[in-house]
Short mmCIF file of all heavy atoms in Angstrom, two decimals:
data_model
loop_
_atom_site.label_atom_id
_atom_site.label_comp_id
_atom_site.label_asym_id
_atom_site.label_seq_id
_atom_site.Cartn_x
_atom_site.Cartn_y
_atom_site.Cartn_z
N LEU A 187 97.44 98.47 83.64
CA LEU A 187 98.16 98.88 84.88
C LEU A 187 98.52 100.37 84.82
O LEU A 187 98.39 101.03 85.80
CB LEU A 187 99.50 98.05 84.99
CG LEU A 187 99.41 96.63 85.63
CD1 LEU A 187 100.79 96.01 85.67
CD2 LEU A 187 98.86 96.72 87.02
N GLU A 188 98.94 100.78 83.65
CA GLU A 188 99.28 102.22 83.49
C GLU A 188 98.04 103.10 83.74
O GLU A 188 98.10 104.13 84.36
CB GLU A 188 99.82 102.47 82.08
CG GLU A 188 101.21 101.92 81.82
CD GLU A 188 102.27 102.83 82.40
OE1 GLU A 188 101.93 103.86 83.01
OE2 GLU A 188 103.46 102.50 82.27
N ALA A 189 96.91 102.65 83.20
CA ALA A 189 95.63 103.37 83.40
C ALA A 189 95.27 103.39 84.89
O ALA A 189 94.81 104.45 85.39
CB ALA A 189 94.57 102.76 82.53
N ILE A 190 95.44 102.28 85.53
CA ILE A 190 95.13 102.26 86.99
C ILE A 190 96.05 103.21 87.73
O ILE A 190 95.60 103.89 88.70
CB ILE A 190 95.28 100.81 87.51
CG1 ILE A 190 94.23 99.90 86.93
CG2 ILE A 190 95.27 100.77 89.00
CD1 ILE A 190 94.40 98.42 87.22
N ARG A 191 97.30 103.27 87.39
CA ARG A 191 98.32 104.19 88.08
C ARG A 191 97.81 105.64 87.90
O ARG A 191 97.91 106.42 88.85
CB ARG A 191 99.65 103.96 87.50
CG ARG A 191 100.70 104.84 88.13
CD ARG A 191 102.01 104.84 87.37
NE ARG A 191 101.88 105.36 86.07
CZ ARG A 191 101.97 106.67 85.73
NH1 ARG A 191 102.15 107.54 86.72
NH2 ARG A 191 101.84 107.13 84.51
N GLN A 192 97.31 105.96 86.73
CA GLN A 192 96.91 107.32 86.44
C GLN A 192 95.59 107.71 87.10
O GLN A 192 95.46 108.83 87.65
CB GLN A 192 96.81 107.52 84.86
CG GLN A 192 98.18 107.40 84.21
CD GLN A 192 98.09 107.50 82.76
OE1 GLN A 192 97.09 108.01 82.16
NE2 GLN A 192 99.10 106.99 82.02
N ASN A 193 94.59 106.79 87.06
CA ASN A 193 93.28 107.14 87.63
C ASN A 193 92.52 105.84 87.92
O ASN A 193 91.79 105.35 87.12
CB ASN A 193 92.50 108.00 86.68
CG ASN A 193 91.27 108.64 87.36
OD1 ASN A 193 90.66 108.06 88.24
ND2 ASN A 193 90.89 109.82 86.88
N GLU A 194 92.77 105.23 89.12
CA GLU A 194 92.22 104.00 89.44
C GLU A 194 90.65 104.04 89.54
O GLU A 194 89.96 103.15 89.10
CB GLU A 194 92.74 103.46 90.79
CG GLU A 194 92.27 102.11 91.15
CD GLU A 194 92.89 101.57 92.38
OE1 GLU A 194 93.83 102.21 92.96
OE2 GLU A 194 92.43 100.46 92.89
N GLU A 195 90.17 105.16 90.05
CA GLU A 195 88.72 105.27 90.28
C GLU A 195 87.98 105.25 88.92
O GLU A 195 86.95 104.66 88.79
CB GLU A 195 88.40 106.62 90.99
CG GLU A 195 88.86 106.62 92.43
CD GLU A 195 88.24 105.55 93.29
OE1 GLU A 195 87.00 105.22 93.05
OE2 GLU A 195 88.85 104.97 94.20
N LYS A 196 88.56 105.91 87.95
CA LYS A 196 87.95 105.95 86.57
C LYS A 196 87.96 104.59 85.97
O LYS A 196 87.00 104.16 85.37
CB LYS A 196 88.67 106.97 85.74
CG LYS A 196 88.09 107.13 84.35
CD LYS A 196 88.75 108.21 83.56
CE LYS A 196 88.12 108.38 82.15
NZ LYS A 196 88.79 109.46 81.36
N VAL A 197 89.14 103.88 86.15
CA VAL A 197 89.24 102.59 85.54
C VAL A 197 88.25 101.58 86.22
O VAL A 197 87.62 100.78 85.56
CB VAL A 197 90.66 102.03 85.69
CG1 VAL A 197 90.76 100.55 85.21
CG2 VAL A 197 91.63 102.91 84.87
N ARG A 198 88.10 101.69 87.54
CA ARG A 198 87.17 100.84 88.33
C ARG A 198 85.75 101.11 87.82
O ARG A 198 84.96 100.18 87.81
CB ARG A 198 87.31 101.06 89.79
CG ARG A 198 86.61 100.00 90.60
CD ARG A 198 86.66 100.33 92.10
NE ARG A 198 88.02 100.15 92.60
CZ ARG A 198 88.72 101.18 93.09
NH1 ARG A 198 88.23 102.42 93.18
NH2 ARG A 198 89.91 100.95 93.55
N SER A 199 85.43 102.42 87.58
CA SER A 199 84.12 102.76 87.12
C SER A 199 83.71 102.13 85.81
O SER A 199 82.51 102.03 85.46
CB SER A 199 83.96 104.28 87.06
OG SER A 199 84.70 104.78 85.96
N LEU A 200 84.72 101.74 85.01
CA LEU A 200 84.48 101.10 83.76
C LEU A 200 84.29 99.61 83.87
O LEU A 200 84.08 98.90 82.90
CB LEU A 200 85.68 101.37 82.79
CG LEU A 200 85.89 102.83 82.37
CD1 LEU A 200 87.20 102.96 81.63
CD2 LEU A 200 84.68 103.37 81.62
N GLY A 201 84.33 99.10 85.13
CA GLY A 201 84.10 97.72 85.35
C GLY A 201 85.34 96.86 85.39
O GLY A 201 85.27 95.60 85.39
N VAL A 202 86.52 97.50 85.36
CA VAL A 202 87.74 96.76 85.35
C VAL A 202 88.09 96.29 86.85
O VAL A 202 88.09 97.20 87.74
CB VAL A 202 88.90 97.55 84.79
CG1 VAL A 202 90.27 96.81 84.89
CG2 VAL A 202 88.58 97.93 83.37
N PRO A 203 88.33 95.04 87.08
CA PRO A 203 88.70 94.60 88.46
C PRO A 203 90.18 95.03 88.83
O PRO A 203 91.06 94.19 88.75
CB PRO A 203 88.53 93.09 88.37
CG PRO A 203 88.78 92.73 86.96
CD PRO A 203 88.31 93.94 86.14
N THR A 204 90.30 96.23 89.24
CA THR A 204 91.69 96.72 89.47
C THR A 204 92.41 95.93 90.57
O THR A 204 93.64 95.87 90.58
CB THR A 204 91.60 98.24 89.92
OG1 THR A 204 90.81 98.39 91.14
CG2 THR A 204 90.98 99.02 88.84
N PHE A 205 91.62 95.36 91.52
CA PHE A 205 92.26 94.54 92.61
C PHE A 205 93.16 93.51 92.04
O PHE A 205 94.30 93.33 92.48
CB PHE A 205 91.08 93.95 93.44
CG PHE A 205 91.59 92.96 94.47
CD1 PHE A 205 91.94 93.39 95.73
CD2 PHE A 205 91.66 91.60 94.17
CE1 PHE A 205 92.35 92.53 96.71
CE2 PHE A 205 92.12 90.68 95.10
CZ PHE A 205 92.46 91.14 96.37
N TYR A 206 92.70 92.74 90.99
CA TYR A 206 93.45 91.61 90.47
C TYR A 206 94.64 92.07 89.69
O TYR A 206 95.63 91.40 89.62
CB TYR A 206 92.55 90.73 89.60
CG TYR A 206 91.38 90.11 90.44
CD1 TYR A 206 90.12 90.59 90.37
CD2 TYR A 206 91.67 89.08 91.31
CE1 TYR A 206 89.09 90.03 91.08
CE2 TYR A 206 90.64 88.49 92.06
CZ TYR A 206 89.36 88.99 91.99
OH TYR A 206 88.38 88.44 92.75
N PHE A 207 94.55 93.20 89.00
CA PHE A 207 95.63 93.73 88.20
C PHE A 207 96.75 94.14 89.14
O PHE A 207 97.97 93.92 88.93
CB PHE A 207 95.18 94.93 87.36
CG PHE A 207 94.46 94.52 86.13
CD1 PHE A 207 93.05 94.29 86.15
CD2 PHE A 207 95.14 94.31 84.91
CE1 PHE A 207 92.41 93.95 84.99
CE2 PHE A 207 94.48 93.97 83.75
CZ PHE A 207 93.12 93.73 83.79
N LYS A 208 96.43 94.89 90.25
CA LYS A 208 97.48 95.28 91.16
C LYS A 208 98.08 94.12 91.89
O LYS A 208 99.27 94.08 92.14
CB LYS A 208 96.90 96.34 92.18
CG LYS A 208 96.48 97.64 91.56
CD LYS A 208 96.23 98.73 92.65
CE LYS A 208 95.06 98.41 93.49
NZ LYS A 208 94.75 99.51 94.46
N LEU A 209 97.21 93.12 92.18
CA LEU A 209 97.74 91.90 92.89
C LEU A 209 98.68 91.21 91.96
O LEU A 209 99.75 90.70 92.39
CB LEU A 209 96.55 91.02 93.24
CG LEU A 209 96.93 89.72 93.95
CD1 LEU A 209 97.69 89.92 95.23
CD2 LEU A 209 95.69 88.87 94.22
N GLY A 210 98.36 91.16 90.67
CA GLY A 210 99.24 90.49 89.71
C GLY A 210 100.57 91.14 89.59
O GLY A 210 101.66 90.47 89.56
N ALA A 211 100.58 92.50 89.52
CA ALA A 211 101.77 93.27 89.47
C ALA A 211 102.63 93.08 90.76
O ALA A 211 103.91 92.94 90.68
CB ALA A 211 101.48 94.72 89.26
N TYR A 212 101.97 93.00 91.89
CA TYR A 212 102.67 92.87 93.16
C TYR A 212 103.32 91.48 93.22
O TYR A 212 104.44 91.34 93.64
CB TYR A 212 101.61 92.99 94.29
CG TYR A 212 102.15 93.02 95.70
CD1 TYR A 212 103.06 94.03 96.09
CD2 TYR A 212 101.75 92.08 96.58
CE1 TYR A 212 103.53 94.02 97.41
CE2 TYR A 212 102.23 92.07 97.89
CZ TYR A 212 103.08 93.07 98.30
OH TYR A 212 103.58 93.09 99.58
N VAL A 213 102.64 90.45 92.85
CA VAL A 213 103.22 89.12 92.79
C VAL A 213 104.36 88.98 91.82
O VAL A 213 105.43 88.37 92.14
CB VAL A 213 102.12 88.05 92.49
CG1 VAL A 213 102.69 86.67 92.26
CG2 VAL A 213 101.06 88.03 93.59
N LEU A 214 104.23 89.61 90.63
CA LEU A 214 105.29 89.57 89.70
C LEU A 214 106.56 90.26 90.25
O LEU A 214 107.68 89.81 90.09
CB LEU A 214 104.82 90.23 88.41
CG LEU A 214 105.94 90.38 87.28
CD1 LEU A 214 106.48 89.01 86.90
CD2 LEU A 214 105.35 91.10 86.05
N ALA A 215 106.37 91.43 90.86
CA ALA A 215 107.51 92.16 91.43
C ALA A 215 108.17 91.35 92.56
O ALA A 215 109.37 91.32 92.72
CB ALA A 215 107.05 93.51 91.99
N ALA A 216 107.36 90.64 93.38
CA ALA A 216 107.84 89.78 94.43
C ALA A 216 108.64 88.60 93.86
O ALA A 216 109.70 88.23 94.42
CB ALA A 216 106.70 89.29 95.33
#
Side-chain angles (χ1 to χ4, degrees):
L187 278 179
E188 289 282 1
I190 292 172
R191 181 189 65 83
Q192 294 174 20
N193 193 328
E194 183 177 354
E195 293 299 326
K196 183 175 181 180
V197 174
R198 191 185 294 114
S199 70
L200 296 174
V202 177
T204 60
F205 173 90
Y206 297 105
F207 282 88
K208 292 194 295 183
L209 179 61
Y212 188 61
V213 171
L214 176 58

